């Protein structure tokens, strides 16, 4: 079975500071990994996904994530936070070749302060 | 940009009543999903649907739940006899090919908040 763990339910950064949201996965086979963002009163929007093509994945809104097999991690980063980045971020995993379900982490709420 | 829509945005019902949550997936998508998120907990997979059949379901998706694609555009989740613990945000999602085809992206709707009293 697969799972993801997100460390830190709440993260607060200053505008312009580095954003680092942590995600570790557990999987018996090579996984596909995703980061989704949820803005207030909206659905989940895909930020980026890892599909084994490249370990450093660039997504929308300046976010990127690096797949590190040795650390079983897929942390999300952005060099400079913007007020509009305030939202809830979810890491998710699915297994290569299986049917379609996504397994989500518990989410990290990002707060951006002036 | 095409998007998944869900109605209603908020549904309040009495315990034991039936509810139907509605979703309109993106028009050229073939795979459909329901997830739920109980307040303060993880987003959990309920069921996936392809070619008018359930392709996978979780342990949560018991006999009280059913899904249907009644026409070419709608995808519904029915809860036959609601319980207090069914109170949650329910998300519909759709994808073009299904994740087995190579990490296809699931596009999510804004959710329906179900409150069971």
């Amino acid at each position: 079975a697969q799972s993801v763990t997100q460390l830190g339910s709440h993260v607060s950064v200053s505008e312009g500071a580095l954003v680092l949201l942590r995600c570790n996965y557990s999987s018996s086979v090579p996984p596909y990994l995703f980061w989704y963002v949820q803005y207030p009163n909206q659905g989940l929007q895909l930020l980026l996904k890892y599909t084994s093509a490249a370990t450093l994945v660039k997504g929308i809104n300046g976010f990127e994530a690096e797949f590190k097999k040795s650390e079983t991690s897929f942390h999300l980063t952005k060099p400079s936070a913007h007020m509009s980045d305030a939202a809830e971020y979810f890491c998710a995993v699915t297994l290569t070749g299986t049917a379609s379900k996504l397994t989500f982490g518990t989410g990290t709420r990002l707060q951006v302060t002036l | 940009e095409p998007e998944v829509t869900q109605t209603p945005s908020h549904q309040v019902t009495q315990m034991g009543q039936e509810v139907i949550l509605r979703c309109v997936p993106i028009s050229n998508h073939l795979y459909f999903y329901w997830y739920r998120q109980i307040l303060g907990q993880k987003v959990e997979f309920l069921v996936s649907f392809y070619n008018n059949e359930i392709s996978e379901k979780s342990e949560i998706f018991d006999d009280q739940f059913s899904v249907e694609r009644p026409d070419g555009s709608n995808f519904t989740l029915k809860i036959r006899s609601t319980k207090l613990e069914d109170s949650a945000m329910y998300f519909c999602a759709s994808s073009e090919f299904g994740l087995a085809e190579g990490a296809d992206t699931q596009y999510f709707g804004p959710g329906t908040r179900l409150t069971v009293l």
Side-chain angles (χ1 to χ4, degrees):
Chain A
Q2 71 272 25
S3 67
V4 289
T5 301
Q6 291 184 244
L7 292 176
S9 59
H10 289 85
V11 170
S12 182
V13 300
S14 301
E15 191 174 35
L18 171 72
V19 175
L20 170 61
L21 304 183
R22 297 177 187 275
C23 173
N24 288 89
Y25 70 90
S26 172
S27 173
S28 55
V29 298
Y32 292 145
L33 293 157
F34 304 78
W35 276 99
Y36 280 85
V37 60
Q38 186 180 30
Y39 298 104
N41 301 315
Q42 295 187 29
L44 299 165
Q45 180 183 5
L46 181 73
L47 274 178
L48 48 81
K49 63 184 180 185
Y50 167 74
T51 61
S52 77
T55 56
L56 182 62
V57 182
K58 294 187 185 300
I60 61 171
N61 301 338
F63 284 93
E64 62 182 37
E66 187 171 8
F67 174 74
K68 291 187 177 180
K69 186 177 177 181
S70 60
E71 299 177 9
T72 61
S73 68
F74 190 58
H75 301 330
L76 182 70
T77 60
K78 182 174 180 178
S80 176
H82 192 273
M83 296 296 288
S84 61
D85 295 326
E88 184 122 24
Y89 292 80
F90 294 93
C91 183
V93 64
T94 192
L95 298 183
T96 307
T98 62
S100 41
K101 69 175 184 182
L102 286 168
T103 300
F104 284 87
T106 50
T108 298
R109 183 165 296 280
L110 176 66
Q111 182 182 17
V112 182
T113 59
L114 288 171
Chain B
E1 185 177 330
E3 59 182 17
V4 177
T5 59
Q6 291 185 242
T7 54
S9 57
H10 192 186
Q11 172 104 36
V12 181
T13 189
Q14 296 291 325
M15 191 169 54
Q17 295 296 303
E18 174 183 286
V19 294
I20 298 176
L21 309 184
R22 290 182 167 79
C23 169
V24 178
I26 295 173
S27 62
N28 64 329
H29 285 186
L30 302 177
Y31 291 79
F32 314 113
Y33 315 83
W34 284 101
Y35 292 82
R36 78 172 186 190
Q37 184 181 29
I38 295 172
L39 189 64
Q41 298 186 24
K42 295 181 182 185
V43 176
E44 301 171 291
F45 169 78
L46 291 178
V47 66
S48 59
F49 191 85
Y50 169 70
N51 199 26
N52 285 319
E53 288 184 348
I54 290 174
S55 49
E56 187 176 3
K57 61 182 181 179
S58 71
E59 291 177 356
I60 303 167
F61 194 87
D62 61 22
D63 292 344
Q64 292 298 314
F65 291 88
S66 62
V67 288
E68 192 179 25
R69 188 153 163 82
D71 53 41
S73 59
N74 289 283
F75 179 52
T76 62
L77 174 69
K78 182 192 292 186
I79 308 176
R80 228 176 308 280
S81 177
T82 50
K83 307 182 187 71
L84 294 176
E85 54 265 36
D86 293 328
S87 294
M89 180 73 89
Y90 288 80
F91 293 105
C92 173
S94 69
S95 68
E96 194 170 1
F97 303 114
L99 285 172
E101 297 294 328
D104 192 26
T105 298
Q106 291 185 21
Y107 294 86
F108 284 77
T112 293
R113 181 166 296 285
L114 176 65
T115 302
V116 182
L117 303 176

